[in-house]
């Protein structure tokens, strides 16, 4: 009886050992290069070795999967740069599409620029005319107040208030003119940039001058 138990135990142990080997083999083996550049096959793989890339082998020693090396900092930076470049290209294509919906030729953009700039410059001229009118009123009120002072008369509060109001109106209009002049410069820069882009996208060269005073059309 004791001998049977021993034989059974040995058989069971052998079976378990076989099962263990089979399980380990089915779990996969790794083939990698160590720090000395030597090829290693093992059922485990060091953490540092995973960064260099490795192969996963099946029980027959065949490669079932190849894990590439971890990217270097330079490669990561290059990927990010390429990703940013592609993003910028996408944005540029969208901008080009919107631009082409507005203009099909650079000359169309030039004409639109001249019209818009002309409108803004016309508004500035109107405001300058308003300043001239208000300035005349201001000169009249200031002359009247000066005459009163020379005659020893007290200047009425209504006259002083009117002078202050006229002066304030002139300052406000001058600020508006300054803002519109800046708007003209900004708008012109934007149009000129769009015109250059249209020449590149359409392959057409403008025939009109960017200076409205030199354009006959």
């Amino acid at each position: 009886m004791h001998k049977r138990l021993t034989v059974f135990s040995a058989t069971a142990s052998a079976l378990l050992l076989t099962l263990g080997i089979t399980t380990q083999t089915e779990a996969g083996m790794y083939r990698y290069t160590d720090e000395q550049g030597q090829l290693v096959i093992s059922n485990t793989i060091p953490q540092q070795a995973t960064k260099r890339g490795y192969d996963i082998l099946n029980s027959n020693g065949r490669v079932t999967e190849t894990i590439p090396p971890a990217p270097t900092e330079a490669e990561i930076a290059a990927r990010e740069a390429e990703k940013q470049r592609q993003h910028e290209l996408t944005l540029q294509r969208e901008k080009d599409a919107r631009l082409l919906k507005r203009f099909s030729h650079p000359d169309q953009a030039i004409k639109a620029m001249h019209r818009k700039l002309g409108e803004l410059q016309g508004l500035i001229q109107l405001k300058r005319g308003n300043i001239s009118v208000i300035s005349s009123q201001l000169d009249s009120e200031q002359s009247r107040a000066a005459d009163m002072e020379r005659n020893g008369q007290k200047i009425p509060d209504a006259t002083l208030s009117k002078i202050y109001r006229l002066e304030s109106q002139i300052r406000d209009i001058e600020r508006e003119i300054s803002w519109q002049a800046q708007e003209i410069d900004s708008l012109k820069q934007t149009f000129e940039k769009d015109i250059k882009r249209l020449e590149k996208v359409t392959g057409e060269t403008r025939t009109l001058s960017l200076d409205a005073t030199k354009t006959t059309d």
Side-chain angles (χ1 to χ4, degrees):
M1 180 65 69
H2 178 71
K3 185 176 182 180
R4 289 179 181 176
L5 289 174
T6 302
V7 172
F8 175 78
S9 299
T11 302
S13 298
L15 179 60
L16 290 174
L17 181 60
T18 301
L19 289 174
I21 293 173
T22 302
T23 302
Q24 186 181 61
T25 302
E26 290 178 352
M29 301 290 284
Y30 303 99
R31 183 173 65 190
Y32 61 91
T33 302
D34 63 15
E35 295 179 355
Q36 287 71 41
Q38 299 297 319
L39 196 62
V40 178
I41 297 178
S42 174
N43 62 341
T44 60
I45 180 171
Q47 181 65 31
Q48 290 299 321
T50 61
K51 297 179 181 180
R52 295 189 290 270
Y54 57 94
D55 297 324
I56 299 177
L57 311 177
N58 62 14
S59 58
N60 296 322
R62 294 181 179 178
V63 176
T64 60
E65 185 177 0
T66 297
I67 308 300
T72 64
E73 292 184 3
E75 290 173 336
I76 293 174
R79 290 178 186 177
E80 289 300 319
E82 177 62 18
K83 182 179 179 181
Q84 179 63 26
R85 189 181 73 86
Q86 291 298 330
H87 177 65
E88 292 174 356
L89 285 175
T90 299
L91 292 179
Q92 186 62 61
R93 283 193 291 267
E94 293 174 353
K95 290 175 63 177
D96 290 344
R98 291 194 296 269
L99 184 61
L100 289 171
K101 284 184 179 180
R102 296 170 58 200
F103 312 110
S104 60
H105 192 281
D107 285 350
Q108 290 182 339
I110 293 175
K111 291 179 181 179
M113 178 182 70
H114 290 167
R115 285 195 300 270
K116 187 61 178 178
L117 295 181
E119 291 172 1
L120 292 175
Q121 289 165 350
L123 288 175
I124 288 179
Q125 291 301 318
L126 287 175
K127 292 180 186 296
R128 293 194 186 281
N130 291 338
I131 288 178
S132 296
V133 172
I134 296 172
S135 294
S136 296
Q137 296 176 3
L138 180 60
D139 289 342
S140 177
E141 293 298 327
Q142 288 175 333
S143 295
R144 185 184 305 171
D147 290 340
M148 290 180 181
E149 283 185 331
R150 282 192 294 269
N151 294 330
Q153 297 177 347
K154 181 181 178 182
I155 302 174
D157 291 341
T159 299
L160 292 175
S161 295
K162 187 173 183 180
I163 290 173
Y164 296 149
R165 185 178 71 254
L166 292 173
E167 290 176 337
S168 178
Q169 288 176 352
I170 291 174
R171 288 194 298 270
D172 289 343
I173 295 175
E174 286 177 340
R175 279 195 294 269
E176 291 176 4
I177 290 175
S178 177
W179 292 335
Q180 287 186 330
Q182 293 177 14
E183 183 180 358
I184 286 175
D185 289 340
S186 177
L187 186 65
K188 187 176 181 181
Q189 291 177 10
T190 299
F191 264 107
E192 289 179 353
K193 183 178 179 181
D194 287 344
I195 291 165
K196 289 181 180 179
R197 186 63 187 174
L198 279 168
E199 288 182 316
K200 183 175 182 179
V201 173
T202 63
E204 301 285 349
T205 303
R206 62 183 175 85
T207 62
L208 301 178
S209 173
L210 297 177
D211 186 351
T213 61
K214 297 180 181 180
T215 301
T216 57
D217 188 359

